[in-house]
Amino acid sequence: MDELNSKQQISSYIIHSQEEEIKRIALELHEGVGQNLYSILTGLQFIESGAKEPHMKLYVREMSELIEKTIQEIRHLSVELHPPTLTTLGLLPAMRSYINLYTSTFGILVDLETTGEEKWVPEKNSITVFRVCQEALANIAKYADTSNITIHFIWTEEELTITIYDFGKGFQPEEYNDLNPLSGLAAMKERMLLTGGQCKISSKIGEGTSIEISLPLNRD
């Protein structure tokens, strides 16, 4: 048991360190690189306003549009790495924000429902649940061949349960895990175990996949 606890502590420390680095990179992208590009965009717009030759105005405008597109891509990447709402507003608003980005990127509609009164979740656990949901949605976009997803948050005093269902083509979980012991599905389960929670995956060919995430609340 001591060896198991030790391994879990090491895994938890590694994941926490990775998340802190991801958070730093996301902030640098948004506040550093993003702001620098915005300054360049402002300069290009000033040059465009003073340019007299039509071909020069067109060229500068095209460059401005490219910079604007790059700024948007950096903002999207920053949110995907670490949504600021996760820290400031909590898990549910962060998921709503990410779902908007997800739908605009993949064209998959996500119906998010919530039952019960939302509870406060410590940042460490919020990040874990967010990452597991993020991995689930990424897998759906890659493999499920579906255009609709439902996500249901159920809040009680003791537990948060999240069910994700994709209406996709499904697969055989046992065969997948045997072939991919280090798969994203295994990582999702491992992350939840480290919080004292669980991640259960059920799927049938032609009937879609259901992922149920449970997180104990009111725990240190």
Side-chain angles (χ1 to χ4, degrees):
M1 182 63 69
D2 290 340
E3 183 179 354
L4 177 60
N5 288 336
S6 179
K7 288 181 178 179
Q8 289 181 335
Q9 288 175 356
I10 292 171
S11 296
S12 180
Y13 174 77
I14 291 172
I15 290 173
H16 178 70
S17 299
Q18 289 173 336
E19 288 295 344
E20 286 298 311
E21 183 65 9
I22 288 171
K23 186 176 180 180
R24 183 191 67 78
I25 293 170
L27 184 63
E28 178 60 27
L29 281 173
H30 186 268
E31 300 295 335
V33 178
Q35 290 300 319
N36 289 342
L37 286 174
Y38 185 77
S39 297
I40 294 171
L41 175 61
T42 303
L44 286 173
Q45 290 172 338
F46 177 76
I47 293 171
E48 180 186 349
S49 66
K52 293 183 171 54
E53 299 84 354
H55 71 279
M56 182 58 70
K57 290 182 76 72
L58 177 60
Y59 176 75
V60 175
R61 186 176 305 140
E62 289 175 347
M63 292 300 99
S64 297
E65 291 172 354
L66 180 60
I67 292 292
E68 282 184 304
K69 182 180 179 182
T70 304
I71 290 173
Q72 282 298 113
E73 289 174 350
I74 286 175
R75 285 175 178 168
H76 286 174
L77 179 58
S78 176
V79 169
E80 189 168 355
L81 285 171
H82 188 91
T85 50
L86 191 61
T87 301
T88 58
L89 299 178
L91 176 60
L92 195 54
M95 280 303 304
R96 293 188 190 279
S97 176
Y98 182 72
I99 284 169
N100 289 334
L101 174 61
Y102 180 84
T103 296
S104 67
T105 301
F106 298 106
I108 300 175
L109 298 178
V110 182
D111 182 19
L112 176 62
E113 301 175 356
T114 180
T115 301
E117 183 180 352
E118 181 182 358
K119 303 295 190 299
W120 177 80
V121 180
E123 183 178 357
K124 182 178 178 182
N125 289 348
S126 291
I127 291 173
T128 297
V129 173
F130 180 85
R131 290 292 181 227
V132 172
C133 291
Q134 191 178 39
E135 178 69 23
L137 290 172
N139 287 338
I140 290 170
K142 289 179 183 177
Y143 307 117
D145 190 21
T146 185
S147 58
N148 292 280
I149 302 169
T150 63
I151 301 179
H152 193 185
F153 278 63
I154 302 175
W155 303 86
T156 68
E157 291 297 326
E158 298 81 20
E159 186 177 64
L160 166 63
T161 303
I162 304 172
T163 302
I164 303 172
Y165 189 73
D166 65 23
F167 304 95
K169 61 185 181 181
F171 65 97
Q172 294 291 349
E174 298 82 6
E175 294 179 7
Y176 189 89
N177 286 332
D178 288 341
L179 294 172
N180 301 273
L182 299 178
S183 68
L185 299 182
M188 289 161 60
K189 292 181 177 181
E190 176 68 16
R191 276 181 176 268
M192 290 310 303
L193 284 174
L194 291 173
T195 66
Q198 290 186 325
C199 178
K200 299 177 182 178
I201 301 165
S202 59
S203 183
K204 289 185 179 181
I205 300 295
E207 297 184 16
T209 299
S210 175
I211 298 172
E212 183 178 292
I213 301 162
S214 60
L215 176 73
L217 300 176
N218 301 320
R219 282 184 53 167
D220 294 333

